[in-house]
Amino acid sequence: MKRKRLMILIWNLGVGGMQKRVRDIVKDIQDNYPDWEVYVLVRDYYPRLFNEEIASFKRIYVRYSPVHNFFLTKFSKLPWVVWEYFKIGPDVCLTFLSHLSSLLVVAKLLIFWKKSRLVLNEGVLTSKFLQIHSKNVWLEEKFVRLFYRLADKIIVPTTAIKSELTSIYGLSPGLILVIPNWTLFPKMKPLESKFDLLYIGRFETEKNLLRVIELVKDIKKIKQDVS
């Protein structure tokens, strides 16, 4: 039986919500979809958190870029992505955020005779992400406007992100599917302590934790016993 192939492109398998989602996707496919196999292309070898666990799953194959820090340009990994796309011949491709999504669109255009459904996952407000992470925001935004419309589907976690992609980047609303953030949790006992607000994540600029502190101060003016 010839299995269907999912190819996932991600920048690393370190700490992060999207990395956890990749882990959950491949675990779910291993457990529930025996007619599928997954190829996880990892741009950067470090940092490492889920690498060994994902590589241990059945029918899951992890491949790393052979060249690291080669050029500090957007398309430095393009030859590798195109070659892997050609060899794997995936039925479906999934990737995350603009700096990888554009690479996968270009690979699909170059290897046009291999038909594959392309799914992009835009998990943040694109404009804010580019302002923080991009050295050439105007060029990156041109990539988004040009390449994203060539995807088969774009997954976003909120209507705010969908609204930005349609209003700022001119993408069709029918192209974008809103799926709230999710994860697979093992069965656990309920916590005895209860909190009204809880933050779980990295201490990074893009998380804007100072804003959370300001919001809590405002909430306490209305509800003083908030915890």
Side-chain angles (χ1 to χ4, degrees), residues 6-89:
L6 168 63
M7 189 178 92
I8 299 176
L9 177 62
I10 192 166
W11 55 96
N12 64 54
L13 291 173
V15 177
M18 293 181 184
Q19 288 89 337
K20 175 63 165 59
R21 199 163 302 130
V22 168
R23 181 268 179 199
D24 290 346
I25 288 171
V26 298
K27 179 68 165 61
D28 186 52
I29 289 176
Q30 174 198 246
D31 294 344
N32 300 303
Y33 299 91
D35 56 332
W36 280 83
E37 58 188 19
V38 184
Y39 294 80
V40 183
L41 306 187
V42 186
R43 188 192 66 181
D44 299 321
Y45 193 76
Y46 294 103
R48 299 169 60 84
L49 178 65
F50 296 108
N51 304 62
E52 283 73 23
E53 182 183 10
I54 289 177
S56 71
F57 293 152
K58 297 177 181 178
R59 306 186 313 280
I60 311 299
Y61 309 97
V62 181
R63 297 180 177 178
Y64 299 95
S65 170
V67 180
H68 299 281
N69 299 322
F70 184 57
F71 287 121
L72 297 179
T73 63
K74 181 177 183 62
F75 290 102
S76 63
K77 307 299 183 188
L78 182 59
W80 169 65
V81 173
V82 172
W83 177 240
E84 291 293 343
Y85 181 91
F86 173 76
K87 289 192 301 181
I88 295 168

Side-chain angles (χ1 to χ4, degrees), residues 8-219:
I8 299 176
L9 177 62
I10 192 166
W11 55 96
N12 64 54
L13 291 173
V15 177
M18 293 181 184
Q19 288 89 337
K20 175 63 165 59
R21 199 163 302 130
V22 168
R23 181 268 179 199
D24 290 346
I25 288 171
V26 298
K27 179 68 165 61
D28 186 52
I29 289 176
Q30 174 198 246
D31 294 344
N32 300 303
Y33 299 91
D35 56 332
W36 280 83
E37 58 188 19
V38 184
Y39 294 80
V40 183
L41 306 187
V42 186
R43 188 192 66 181
D44 299 321
Y45 193 76
Y46 294 103
R48 299 169 60 84
L49 178 65
F50 296 108
N51 304 62
E52 283 73 23
E53 182 183 10
I54 289 177
S56 71
F57 293 152
K58 297 177 181 178
R59 306 186 313 280
I60 311 299
Y61 309 97
V62 181
R63 297 180 177 178
Y64 299 95
S65 170
V67 180
H68 299 281
N69 299 322
F70 184 57
F71 287 121
L72 297 179
T73 63
K74 181 177 183 62
F75 290 102
S76 63
K77 307 299 183 188
L78 182 59
W80 169 65
V81 173
V82 172
W83 177 240
E84 291 293 343
Y85 181 91
F86 173 76
K87 289 192 301 181
I88 295 168
D91 296 277
V92 179
C93 295
L94 169 66
T95 192
F96 302 84
L97 302 181
S98 59
H99 55 314
L100 295 180
S101 295
S102 298
L103 293 180
L104 208 48
V105 174
V106 173
K108 183 178 178 180
L109 289 173
L110 292 174
I111 315 295
F112 60 88
W113 60 92
K114 289 185 178 292
K115 303 301 180 183
S116 174
R117 291 183 59 80
L118 180 57
V119 180
L120 310 182
N121 189 311
E122 193 69 3
V124 298
L125 282 171
T126 304
S127 61
K128 298 297 182 183
F129 177 81
L130 294 179
Q131 289 174 13
I132 294 173
H133 294 282
S134 177
K135 297 178 180 179
N136 298 296
V137 176
W138 66 272
L139 182 59
E140 294 280 357
E141 290 190 333
K142 285 186 180 296
F143 285 140
V144 171
R145 290 189 179 93
L146 177 64
F147 291 138
Y148 274 42
R149 65 186 69 251
L150 301 178
D152 292 284
K153 190 64 66 176
I154 300 173
I155 298 174
V156 299
T158 68
T159 55
I161 298 176
K162 178 176 181 177
S163 177
E164 183 185 70
L165 289 175
T166 57
S167 61
I168 296 181
Y169 300 100
L171 301 179
S172 169
L175 182 65
I176 304 168
L177 179 63
V178 178
I179 301 179
N181 280 332
W182 55 273
T183 189
L184 300 178
F185 286 109
K187 292 183 179 180
M188 300 172 63
K189 294 181 179 179
L191 294 174
E192 294 182 2
S193 300
K194 294 184 182 293
F195 300 94
D196 299 304
L197 300 171
L198 181 66
Y199 170 78
I200 301 177
R202 306 189 310 278
F203 286 90
E204 300 280 359
T205 303
E206 63 196 61
K207 301 301 181 182
N208 202 5
L209 290 181
L210 292 179
R211 180 59 176 159
V212 175
I213 296 173
E214 295 171 359
L215 290 172
V216 172
K217 289 172 63 178
D218 291 338
I219 292 173

